[in-house]
Amino acid sequence: MKVFTLLASLLVADVAVVAAQGTIVPHKPSGDLNGSNFTYPFPLHLYKFTSQQQQLEMAFMDVAPTSAPNNKTAILFHGNFFCGATWNQTIHVLAGIGYRVIVPDHIGYCKSTKPVGYQFSVAQLATNANTLLQTLGIGNVTVVGHSFGGMLTFRYGLMFPNSVDEMVVINAIAMEDYTAKGVPYLTIDANYASSLQSTFASIQSYENTTYYVGQWEDAYDVWVQMVIDVFYGSKRDAFNFNQAQIIDVVLTQPIAHEFANVIPPVLLMIGEKDTTAIGKAWSPPSVAATLGNFTALALDVSAQLPNCTLFTFPDLGHAPHISDPARFSAALVEWLLTGAINANDV
C-alpha cells in the first residue's frame, strides 16, 4: 500500500517514476503522440522501457476509483480497430465500483510506439503489460480484454495465473484455430499492402457488418475516425506494417488448444451476431462458411475453461460494451461483485 501511495503521489505531482522495468512519466492527453492525435478521456502516462533492444513508449491511462476503493485493479486490453480510449464508459463503471483502472495502448497501436523490426507475439505483448504493472507496483489484477485484447487476456492468464484475480473476455478473436480450419497463409507483405488501402468508408462498412450487425449509430463514427487517423498519421508506414505483423501473430500463434489450462475464473461475454474471423476474407467459400460462428464458439470454449461463466447477448455483435453499454455494464458489475449473473437483472 505504501508503494502504491508513493507511485500515485509522484504521478500526480508530474514526477517521473523509475523502476527496474522502466520509467513512467506523465503526458498530455491531446496532440500527436506516436502517430495518434486523438484526445483521450483521462490523463495519459508513458511507460518508457526497453524491449528487444529498442526504446519503446507504452501510453496508458491510470484512473483512480471514484467511489470507496476496493483495493483492486483492473487492466483493460483493447482490440485491433480500437484504442484505450474506446474503454471510456467501462472505465467509468469500474472506477465507480472502487477499481483502480489501468488502460494501455498495446505497442504498435494508437499512442504507443510503432516499432520497426519488432518481433510481435501475444506473449511479448502480455509481458509488456505485466512489466508495466510491476513498474507501477501493482500485484494482482482483473484482466478485461476485447477482440484481439481478449486473445491477449487468455495468454496473460496462461502466463501469469498467480497474479490474475479473474478474467473478463469479450468476443475474443482466435477462439478457433483459423489456420487449422483451412485459412490460407497470407504473407506479412501482402497484409501490409492491404492495410495501406484502409479508408474511413471501408472500416465503417466492416464494423457495421460485424461489430454492430447493421445497426450503425452516428456515435460510432468517432471510433472509426480515431483509428483512421492512425492509419494515415505521422507513423503511417510503421503502423500499417505493425498491423500486418499482428495479423500474422493471430494466424500463427493459436491459443484455441490451451483453454483447459486457464486457471483464473473467466467471465466469457459474447455478442452472438458477431461474425469476425481473421482470414475469412481471403479464404475459400467452403472454409469461410465454417468461421466466426460465435454462438457455437461460446459454448465450445466455455465448456473447456475450468472455471467459466458464460453470458451472451443474442442480438449484439462484436462490441457489446459499445453497442449496449448499459446492459454490458450491468452484467459485468454483477459478476465482479457476486461471481454470478442473473439474466433477469440485465
Side-chain angles (χ1 to χ4, degrees):
M1 181 60 69
K2 290 182 178 179
V3 173
F4 167 80
T5 304
L6 174 61
L7 288 168
S9 300
L10 290 173
L11 287 172
V12 170
D14 284 356
V15 177
V17 178
V18 181
Q21 291 78 19
T23 304
I24 293 175
V25 297
H27 187 85
K28 294 180 180 179
S30 60
D32 187 277
L33 174 61
N34 290 313
S36 168
N37 59 15
F38 191 79
T39 300
Y40 277 38
F42 298 95
L44 281 172
H45 306 284
L46 293 180
Y47 171 46
K48 296 175 176 283
F49 66 109
T50 300
S51 176
Q52 299 181 23
Q53 299 186 335
Q54 294 196 49
Q55 297 297 313
L56 304 178
E57 294 179 340
M58 182 188 295
F60 69 98
M61 293 175 284
D62 185 350
V63 182
T66 54
S67 64
N70 62 7
N71 298 318
K72 299 186 73 173
T73 297
I75 186 167
L76 313 186
F77 294 151
H78 65 78
N80 195 51
F81 280 167
F82 297 87
C83 300
T86 49
W87 285 115
N88 184 25
Q89 295 181 80
T90 305
I91 295 170
H92 281 287
V93 168
L94 291 173
I97 59 171
Y99 282 83
R100 180 184 181 183
V101 189
I102 307 298
V103 191
D105 284 348
H106 312 310
I107 293 299
Y109 288 89
C110 306
K111 290 188 179 290
S112 293
T113 300
K114 317 295 183 296
V116 176
Y118 197 67
Q119 183 171 325
F120 280 88
S121 70
V122 193
Q124 178 67 74
L125 296 180
T127 299
N128 293 346
N130 184 256
T131 58
L132 164 64
L133 293 171
Q134 289 182 46
T135 303
L136 287 169
I138 296 172
N140 280 36
V141 289
T142 296
V143 187
V144 182
H146 167 242
S147 190
F148 176 65
M151 180 183 185
L152 177 56
T153 297
F154 278 126
R155 179 55 64 203
Y156 193 97
L158 287 162
M159 292 178 68
F160 309 108
N162 295 329
S163 64
V164 177
D165 291 327
E166 58 264 314
M167 299 157 50
V168 179
V169 179
I170 308 142
N171 282 78
I173 62 169
M175 293 201 300
E176 54 191 327
D177 185 336
Y178 302 120
T179 301
K181 284 193 168 184
V183 171
Y185 181 73
L186 204 62
T187 66
I188 291 176
D189 291 329
N191 275 309
Y192 168 63
S194 177
S195 184
L196 287 171
Q197 304 305 311
S198 298
T199 65
F200 185 97
S202 70
I203 292 178
Q204 183 189 58
S205 176
Y206 171 73
E207 292 190 358
N208 185 35
T209 301
T210 61
Y211 292 8
Y212 308 111
V213 296
Q215 300 173 7
W216 191 265
E217 296 182 9
D218 291 343
Y220 304 152
D221 285 349
V222 65
W223 306 127
V224 179
Q225 193 61 55
M226 175 187 66
V227 295
I228 207 67
D229 284 350
V230 187
F231 273 100
Y232 288 88
S234 60
K235 302 296 182 182
R236 170 172 165 76
D237 286 343
F239 171 70
N240 280 277
F241 196 77
N242 289 166
Q243 284 282 289
Q245 290 174 290
I246 293 295
I247 295 298
D248 197 74
V249 164
V250 174
L251 291 175
T252 61
Q253 300 176 25
I255 59 168
H257 312 289
E258 300 182 65
F259 295 131
N261 298 324
V262 175
I263 295 174
V266 178
L267 170 60
L268 185 61
M269 306 182 83
I270 299 293
E272 292 189 65
K273 288 189 177 296
D274 189 8
T275 58
T276 303
I278 305 305
K280 190 174 187 177
W282 66 79
S283 293
S286 59
V287 172
T290 69
L291 303 173
N293 182 343
F294 274 81
T295 300
L297 287 171
L299 295 174
D300 180 43
V301 174
S302 63
Q304 295 179 58
L305 292 164
N307 187 354
C308 179
T309 300
L310 172 63
F311 189 83
T312 65
F313 303 91
D315 57 328
L316 301 182
H318 189 63
H321 61 303
I322 295 176
S323 56
D324 197 337
R327 195 158 35 129
F328 168 82
S329 297
L332 173 65
V333 169
E334 184 168 353
W335 186 78
L336 289 173
L337 295 181
T338 70
I341 302 174
N342 183 339
N344 294 326
D345 297 334
V346 178

